[in-house]
Amino acid sequence: MGRKVAFIAAMFGALALAGSAQARVEVQWWHAMSGVLGDRLNELVEKFNTSQDKYTVVAVAKGNYDEVTNGVIAAYRAKRPPEMVQIAERGYMTMLLSGAVIPVQDLIEQKGYKVDFSDFIKPVASFWSYKGRMSAMPFNSSTPIFWYNKDHFQKAGFDKPADTWQELESQLYAIKSKGISECGTVLPGDFYWSLLENYSAINNQPYGTLANGFDGLGTEFVYNKTKVVSQVARLKKWLDDGVMQIAGQGFSPEQLFTSGRCSTFVNSTASHGNIERNATISWSATFLPHESDINPPLNSTIGGGAIWVLKGHTPERYEAVAAFLNFVAQPETQVWWHGATGYVPATNRAYALARERGYYKDHPTREIAVLQLSRGTPNENSRGFRFGNFVQTMLAQRQEVEAVFAGQKQPQQAMDDAVKRGNEILRQFEKLNAGKTPETERP
Amino acid sequence: MVERSPVLSMVCHAILIAGALTVCIPLYFAFVAGSLTVAEVQKVPLPWVPGGQFFDNLQLAWSKGNFSRTFTNSIVVALGITAGKIAVSLLSAFAITYFRFRYRMLAFWLIFVSLMLPIEVRIVPTFEAVANAAVPLQWLADALHVADLWGWISGHDVAISLEWNMVNTYPGLILPLIASATATFLFRQFFLTVPDELCEAARLDGASPLHFFWSILLPLSVPNMVALAIILFLFGWNQYLWPLLFTTDKDMATAVIALKGLIPRSDSEPAWNVAMSGALLTMLPPALVVLLLQRWFIKGLIDSSK
Amino acid sequence: MSGKTRRPAQEAGLKRANFGDGPGLPTLLLLPQLLILLFFFFIPSLRALTQSVLLSDPFGTTVQFVWFDNFKTLFASSEYRQSIAVTFWFTVAQNVLTLGSALVLAFATDRIVRARSVYRTIILLPYAIAPAIAGILWAFLFNPAVGPLAQMLHRLGIAWDPNLNPTDALILVTLAASWKHICYDYIFLVVGLLAVPVSLMEAAAVDGAGPIRRFVSIALPMLGPTIFFLTVMNFIYGFFETFAIIDAVTKGGPAGATNILVYKVFVDGFVNLDLGSSAAQSVLLMSFALICTLLQFRYFDRKVNYGV
């Protein structure tokens, strides 16, 4: 009986809000964390829920980032959005100009919480804010670092991986030729992020015009005229020489590293949890390499996700949202999350706290990402990437790189084509969003 | 058999054995992988003989895939599609073949344009439309100014806001997959072969159309219904894209979607052993249907093409 | 379109003995199906049509009418042309492989006496297996890093790598798709062969025709309509129903080598969030499917009118 009533209510459910008599206000948070990270996220939410008795956050795993984005778009169009959603950095422009979100800084200040937004570490703050105001709450910030198999390097007579791509290359070839491992490195699934985008930032190469999109929607890709082309050629050469392997669809590149098959692996600092659990090898990590003629290298850029707040809910629910976001921003929470996952602590205070407690003495590799993100002074090549339809341009680029790997295209030709396709996609985004300014309306 | 030819017979057996092996090899390796530990399944090359973890992995897959719940969902969805499609199709096929009315040909074409348009083709708009199926009704209400009219009559200001959210509901999973004409087509073809005398006799006896439908046509259609039911059950059980997009709640996922969640991703443990056990579990119900009801299954296949 | 031999359009497909006029009851009977079709077929199809001439952001807050720009962009893009080519080769290869294997297996089944039902049962099994699962099994088997069959190929000196090599990827999805579908063609052909009159075969045997000769010159022509039907069904299967296989095995890669049209609709709509382009592709695919439907219809209706 009860089932049937619920079913009818769901069918014509203008009654959906009726009868919420509980004292606690419940809000939903859709996210994309799975595996160890998903478990940690649930612990975090549990901490918040038990820390007070007014609000309950319900964390809902909705698949990967694409699936979460789809889910939230459909839900928003059907007028049933969750209060909060975790969206990857690549979706920043889409969310910012969507007209569907409330800037988190506005919300938090309006609800009377005092979060020190100036304390967020620079690459994080500058990426997630628009005109100096935070649009989304930085949550899981990461950056790629260089993981390696200590035994393999020692056996080959090296202390650790070299700082430059050139020297690293000879090391990997030596490891291969001495038969120490089957492959020097494995192509990461998100190589476009670590080996092309972050590569450009670190090596001070422009990726697009107008400060990689920070200065306007009129931005155009230019990476077909930079070292990215020779980087693609390098990867192709490694692949041909068997120094690099591709794990392939449905298989984890990480597995080829943690099982000792490949000696190195470029991947997010957020893999700490998994690698610590799965690795049967003695591993360590270091900074990403840079080109020998670029010295000093610049900072890398952040990836990962932030929590966006969606429009369309009651003020009391936004109370709960603000309380939760305030909780996320606390140094204690940040330090715990950093330690539990390997993601970067988002605020200076949290980072200082972790240092004070001697955390990095026991976990030296956990500090690499922070140091790499904050080295030097970010310039317009290294502040980050703000392109519209960035997932779509990235997929087009990935396709072109795959054409190089398959031997169908020369690197220059492929990057020219990728840029051409990417720019068409950017123009479409510009056309659609011309003259739009992001929401600054108060909830 | 026209003549005996032992050599040719042997060749034929060899061909069929090769065919059977081709079918079985992927299944065998799924079984082998499903019987190993996580460490063993990562070893290269994969062993050719099974290990000892088969039942442990089955158990693990069962709990990790939330299969006690997702199997129920799959059964509900598959049976819902089967029953719904057969019921709806019988009625409309009856209407189209046994009645002469003005809009018959229009109705006929309205139904049959959907014959070969699988949901994958119109996936994005279907998703949008079904995410809130009340949207078109809302348009209608707005267009007709129903709210204004009511406000004028009653003196109150009212806003009509309809919501018919079908994400994560059984109707949302079932109904869009019923929206095609294949079964209607089958019954239409069958009804056209039913002797006219039966209908004439019924009319002479003064039986109503519904009585004729219920007591004569329906019993005659039972074999077709059973055969079709098997095909539709398999169709429903094996659905992928629609449930993938349309279930965001873990408890509403179907078994195939839960299985997808078991497939290792780049940030999860490479537990191919559990994934393969899950694959075996998920294919078990439809495989049993094919094995045990083979005669009906074959009839269903052949029928649905006539 | 020879109108002379056909019954008047008004009467087509109507029982000679029927319940006559009166729209009330038939309307009621048709209502469930028409309502379901309205909500889940016509409205979505209409939305595809309208969406295909719009440029809109994913949240639906900004919408621009762009005439046929989405179609123009589509036809101008090399990616779409590649997708068409890939779909074509994939369906043709799958068709040939499926039908060819099914013919050989059906011929062999027809020739033997013992264990016939055992073979048939096993060969039919893949029909029960979800395309997604079939894809996963094959992806695993042929994974260059851990797959046992890929390892065998490597030992034979074949540098098999579907993650890298577009041709290998296309071969892999073709194999997986065919593996899943051979049973369908097979059972039709087995049933079709049973219908070939033994007397014809015996007569040919007396004339000295061997079993293979007889199969080619007598059975095959008689199977003609079935083979035609299967070809159409194979194309439909390859075009629309292999989505899950592509998703599980290659995700359309590498370098777009397995990016079949129906997969591209999905990726552009749900990953790239390019709703206008995805809708335009839907419209094109729907038109194509509609043409197939009409063709099948002419074929079916003829069969019904004169064959039964």
Side-chain angles (χ1 to χ4, degrees):
Chain A
M1 245 335 256
R3 226 197 185 161
K4 193 158 190 184
V5 172
F7 170 70
I8 291 167
M11 295 274 284
F12 288 94
L15 320 157
L17 297 181
S20 54
Q22 327 99 297
R24 295 181 85 116
V25 179
E26 197 177 288
V27 292
Q28 294 232 335
W29 176 28
W30 292 4
H31 67 85
M33 302 273 92
S34 61
V36 177
L37 297 175
D39 299 343
R40 296 290 180 262
L41 184 142
N42 288 331
E43 284 172 43
L44 178 94
V45 167
E46 197 49 43
K47 274 174 192 278
F48 172 73
N49 288 341
T50 49
S51 73
Q52 40 74 44
D53 57 5
K54 277 158 84 181
Y55 315 116
T56 305
V57 170
V58 180
V60 187
K62 294 271 175 178
N64 62 28
Y65 282 121
D66 290 338
E67 285 156 7
V68 174
T69 308
N70 273 314
V72 81
I73 286 170
Y76 185 81
R77 297 182 82 143
K79 300 199 166 62
R80 285 243 178 139
E83 286 77 9
M84 294 177 279
V85 62
Q86 178 198 24
I87 299 282
E89 91 285 350
R90 220 162 274 278
Y92 183 83
M93 292 304 283
T94 303
M95 293 305 285
L96 184 74
L97 299 176
S98 67
V101 296
I102 300 169
V104 295
Q105 192 164 350
D106 295 357
L107 177 73
I108 288 174
E109 286 172 0
Q110 193 224 355
K111 296 292 177 192
Y113 291 97
K114 298 218 170 355
V115 171
D116 183 2
F117 285 99
S118 65
D119 188 44
F120 279 86
I121 68 170
K122 226 172 173 184
V124 171
S126 76
F127 186 83
W128 293 110
S129 54
Y130 181 79
K131 296 204 168 151
R133 309 270 300 164
M134 201 72 90
S135 334
M137 177 59 76
F139 177 62
N140 54 320
S141 303
S142 66
T143 205
I145 59 175
F146 195 85
W147 304 79
Y148 65 98
N149 186 316
K150 282 204 282 199
D151 293 344
H152 291 181
F153 274 79
Q154 261 157 28
K155 264 189 217 158
F158 308 117
D159 289 344
K160 61 190 285 283
D163 294 339
T164 66
W165 283 100
Q166 284 72 13
E167 288 169 61
L168 177 72
E169 181 170 273
S170 53
Q171 286 181 335
L172 295 182
Y173 273 78
I175 288 173
K176 168 91 182 170
S177 66
K178 288 178 187 166
I180 293 167
S181 75
E182 197 176 312
C183 51
T185 191
V186 52
L187 186 77
D190 50 8
F191 66 87
Y192 43 85
W193 177 57
S194 47
L195 296 179
L196 304 181
E197 291 164 13
N198 269 290
Y199 168 88
S200 295
I202 290 173
N203 291 295
N204 199 12
Q205 304 291 304
Y207 210 70
T209 58
L210 296 176
N212 287 343
F214 270 72
D215 292 346
L217 295 178
T219 176
E220 287 187 352
F221 289 116
V222 294
Y223 57 76
N224 59 332
K225 300 183 189 103
T226 71
K227 286 181 189 290
V228 162
V229 179
S230 52
Q231 169 78 339
V232 171
R234 173 185 288 140
L235 297 175
K236 166 69 173 160
K237 177 168 163 264
W238 288 9
L239 199 58
D240 288 348
D241 295 342
V243 169
M244 183 172 82
Q245 281 197 356
I246 298 181
Q249 167 71 22
F251 287 81
S252 136
E254 195 175 288
Q255 186 190 333
L256 295 189
F257 172 68
T258 54
S259 64
R261 208 167 131 115
C262 298
S263 303
T264 67
F265 180 36
V266 173
N267 201 33
S268 164
T269 183
S271 326
H272 267 104
N274 273 307
I275 290 187
E276 280 161 5
R277 189 179 65 181
N278 294 330
T280 51
I281 55 168
S282 79
W283 56 270
S284 185
T286 182
F287 296 91
L288 286 181
H290 57 86
E291 296 291 344
S292 55
D293 57 348
I294 302 288
N295 221 353
L298 297 183
N299 61 295
S300 61
T301 67
I302 64 152
I307 307 171
W308 294 83
V309 178
L310 290 148
K311 285 185 184 168
H313 298 284
T314 56
E316 57 166 359
R317 290 188 179 211
Y318 287 122
E319 297 282 349
V321 170
F324 178 67
L325 294 178
N326 178 57
F327 170 78
V328 169
Q330 294 309 310
E332 272 303 329
T333 317
Q334 290 285 328
V335 171
W336 178 83
W337 175 245
H338 171 50
T341 61
Y343 280 114
V344 175
T347 60
N348 290 315
R349 220 168 293 153
Y351 176 46
L353 206 58
R355 284 193 72 116
E356 250 169 56
R357 294 180 186 169
Y359 182 70
Y360 299 120
K361 292 217 171 64
D362 305 329
H363 305 89
T365 57
R366 300 272 182 140
E367 198 177 10
I368 293 165
V370 193
L371 296 174
Q372 184 177 275
L373 273 170
S374 49
R375 75 181 163 200
T377 316
N379 68 14
E380 55 181 39
N381 290 337
S382 72
R383 235 190 298 164
F385 303 90
R386 240 178 225 180
F387 301 105
N389 294 336
F390 201 13
V391 174
Q392 199 178 355
T393 63
M394 173 276 283
L395 286 177
Q397 181 195 45
R398 194 177 76 184
Q399 229 179 51
E400 296 295 337
V401 175
E402 283 171 352
V404 174
F405 290 165
Q408 292 175 330
K409 282 186 185 176
Q410 290 302 313
Q412 185 63 56
Q413 180 64 45
M415 289 302 98
D416 287 347
D417 292 349
V419 163
K420 185 168 161 278
R421 282 168 70 181
N423 285 340
E424 280 162 16
I425 295 163
L426 287 179
R427 292 293 72 77
Q428 187 161 325
F429 189 80
E430 187 185 13
K431 184 179 170 198
L432 187 65
N433 293 290
K436 254 199 221 174
T437 46
E439 215 63 45
T440 45
E441 163 204 326
R442 302 294 156 110
Chain B
M1 192 62 47
V2 180
E3 84 279 83
R4 292 197 57 81
S5 157
V7 178
L8 188 64
S9 284
M10 264 164 65
V11 171
C12 287
H13 277 288
I15 289 172
L16 287 167
I17 288 169
L21 276 179
T22 312
V23 168
C24 291
I25 284 174
L27 299 174
Y28 176 72
F29 277 107
F31 166 65
V32 170
S35 67
L36 302 172
T37 63
V38 184
E40 283 167 341
V41 84
Q42 284 185 75
K43 276 203 196 106
V44 176
L46 193 81
W48 289 69
V49 284
Q53 294 284 309
F54 186 63
F55 291 102
D56 294 341
N57 287 337
L58 278 187
Q59 227 164 15
L60 203 57
W62 184 267
S63 64
K64 269 174 95 178
N66 195 11
F67 276 146
S68 52
R69 172 78 210 198
T70 51
F71 262 56
T72 316
N73 291 339
S74 278
I75 290 171
V76 171
V77 169
L79 290 180
I81 290 172
T82 307
K85 203 160 179 169
I86 288 179
V88 161
S89 305
L90 273 170
L91 294 180
S92 56
F94 179 53
I96 277 178
T97 46
Y98 276 93
F99 292 89
R100 184 190 304 133
F101 54 100
R102 224 165 137 199
Y103 304 108
R104 202 179 70 87
M105 283 319 279
L106 177 68
F108 178 89
W109 283 111
L110 280 180
I111 291 173
F112 290 109
V113 284
S114 69
L115 189 65
M116 288 189 189
L117 284 169
I119 197 165
E120 281 81 3
V121 175
R122 52 176 196 281
I123 190 72
V124 179
T126 306
F127 184 82
E128 260 181 51
V130 186
N132 187 356
V135 166
L137 295 179
Q138 178 86 52
W139 293 337
L140 202 67
D142 291 350
L144 298 176
H145 298 284
V146 177
D148 295 349
L149 201 66
W150 176 250
W152 182 72
I153 293 170
S154 66
H156 299 292
D157 255 359
V158 286
I160 294 184
S161 139
L162 292 172
E163 221 180 89
W164 185 9
N165 192 315
M166 307 221 293
V167 176
N168 287 323
T169 62
Y170 287 131
L173 279 173
I174 293 169
L175 292 175
L177 293 167
I178 295 181
S180 91
T182 40
T184 315
F185 192 67
L186 168 78
F187 287 121
R188 169 198 184 248
Q189 304 300 83
F190 171 67
F191 290 165
L192 289 179
T193 66
V194 172
D196 281 332
E197 291 74 23
L198 289 176
C199 177
E200 277 158 5
R203 283 172 59 190
L204 280 180
D205 290 350
S208 74
L210 285 181
H211 187 261
F212 168 75
F213 176 71
W214 185 255
S215 55
I216 297 175
L217 210 49
L218 216 50
L220 280 176
S221 310
V222 165
N224 281 297
M225 281 161 65
V226 174
L228 185 67
I230 290 172
I231 301 297
L232 288 175
F233 180 83
L234 297 175
F235 167 82
W237 184 278
N238 289 340
Q239 278 303 313
Y240 178 75
L241 181 57
W242 185 248
L244 177 68
L245 291 173
F246 220 62
T247 55
T248 51
D249 180 351
K250 237 180 112 190
D251 280 342
M252 281 307 291
T254 60
V256 173
I257 301 310
L259 171 68
K260 185 186 183 265
L262 293 183
I263 303 300
R265 296 208 309 223
S266 57
D267 58 354
S268 59
E269 194 184 21
W272 275 99
N273 51 345
V274 180
M276 287 300 167
S277 305
L280 292 175
L281 276 173
T282 311
M283 67 176 84
L284 193 63
L288 285 178
V289 167
V290 168
L291 293 180
L292 300 179
L293 305 172
Q294 198 182 128
R295 215 164 56 80
W296 289 102
F297 159 67
I298 293 174
K299 177 174 163 47
L301 270 184
I302 305 284
D303 277 357
S304 53
S305 73
K306 269 186 190 148
Chain C
M1 288 286 138
S2 55
K4 282 176 210 158
T5 52
R6 298 180 73 183
R7 284 179 275 180
Q10 213 60 37
E11 301 290 324
L14 177 68
K15 297 291 283 186
R16 189 174 50 75
N18 57 54
F19 291 99
D21 307 322
L25 185 58
T27 308
L28 217 59
L29 294 172
L30 281 166
L31 207 58
Q33 175 136 37
L34 288 179
L35 271 182
I36 288 177
L37 284 176
L38 175 72
F39 274 103
F40 306 110
F41 179 76
F42 287 108
I43 289 175
S45 300
L46 203 69
R47 281 186 83 102
L49 266 179
T50 52
Q51 188 72 260
S52 71
V53 289
L54 299 175
L55 182 62
S56 83
D57 81 317
F59 284 85
T61 44
T62 317
V63 179
Q64 289 170 12
F65 180 68
V66 293
W67 290 105
F68 298 105
D69 279 7
N70 291 323
F71 292 93
K72 278 187 218 155
T73 316
L74 211 51
F75 288 124
S77 89
S78 57
E79 203 193 345
Y80 193 62
R81 284 197 298 268
Q82 182 197 19
S83 182
I84 292 175
V86 162
T87 311
F88 176 78
W89 286 117
F90 170 65
T91 41
V92 167
Q94 180 263 121
N95 210 331
V96 170
L97 188 62
T98 305
L99 207 49
S101 324
L103 268 172
V104 172
L105 289 170
F107 168 78
T109 310
D110 200 47
R111 289 288 314 174
I112 61 161
V113 185
R114 256 183 303 166
R116 195 188 268 207
S117 67
V118 177
Y119 290 129
R120 202 180 54 197
T121 305
I122 295 175
I123 292 171
L124 281 180
L125 204 53
Y127 193 88
I129 297 169
I133 300 180
I136 291 164
L137 296 179
W138 282 78
F140 183 71
L141 228 49
F142 280 99
N143 179 275
V146 299
L149 294 191
Q151 301 285 323
M152 264 168 62
L153 290 175
H154 291 172
R155 241 167 286 146
L156 294 173
I158 300 166
W160 168 265
D161 191 350
N163 303 314
L164 188 61
N165 186 320
T167 316
D168 290 359
L170 200 53
I171 291 173
L172 180 56
V173 289
T174 306
L175 285 176
S178 305
W179 180 79
K180 162 97 186 92
H181 204 59
I182 285 172
C183 54
Y184 185 85
D185 291 14
Y186 167 79
I187 200 65
F188 276 87
L189 294 170
V190 167
V191 172
L193 279 175
L194 287 178
V196 176
V198 183
S199 55
L200 265 183
M201 289 298 215
E202 274 168 351
V206 171
D207 287 348
I212 295 175
R213 219 2 242 295
R214 287 201 305 271
F215 182 74
V216 174
S217 61
I218 299 175
L220 219 47
M222 291 194 73
L223 289 173
T226 308
I227 290 175
F228 172 76
F229 163 80
L230 288 175
T231 307
V232 176
M233 292 313 277
N234 288 349
F235 265 102
I236 287 173
Y237 168 78
F239 251 83
F240 303 124
E241 288 161 36
T242 47
F243 174 90
I245 293 179
I246 301 286
D247 195 48
V249 182
T250 61
K251 295 228 185 283
T258 54
N259 196 11
I260 61 171
L261 290 165
V262 74
Y263 196 71
K264 192 168 152 50
V265 168
F266 163 79
V267 171
D268 282 341
F270 283 102
V271 182
N272 291 335
L273 305 176
D274 189 350
L275 300 186
S277 175
S278 175
Q281 294 171 49
S282 280
V283 168
L284 292 173
L285 272 181
M286 284 196 286
S287 320
F288 173 78
L290 210 56
I291 293 169
C292 282
T293 307
L294 293 180
L295 283 177
Q296 281 288 68
F297 240 95
R298 283 188 65 81
Y299 166 76
F300 279 136
D301 248 17
R302 203 165 298 146
K303 241 172 80 176
V304 170
N305 288 344
Y306 310 111
V308 179

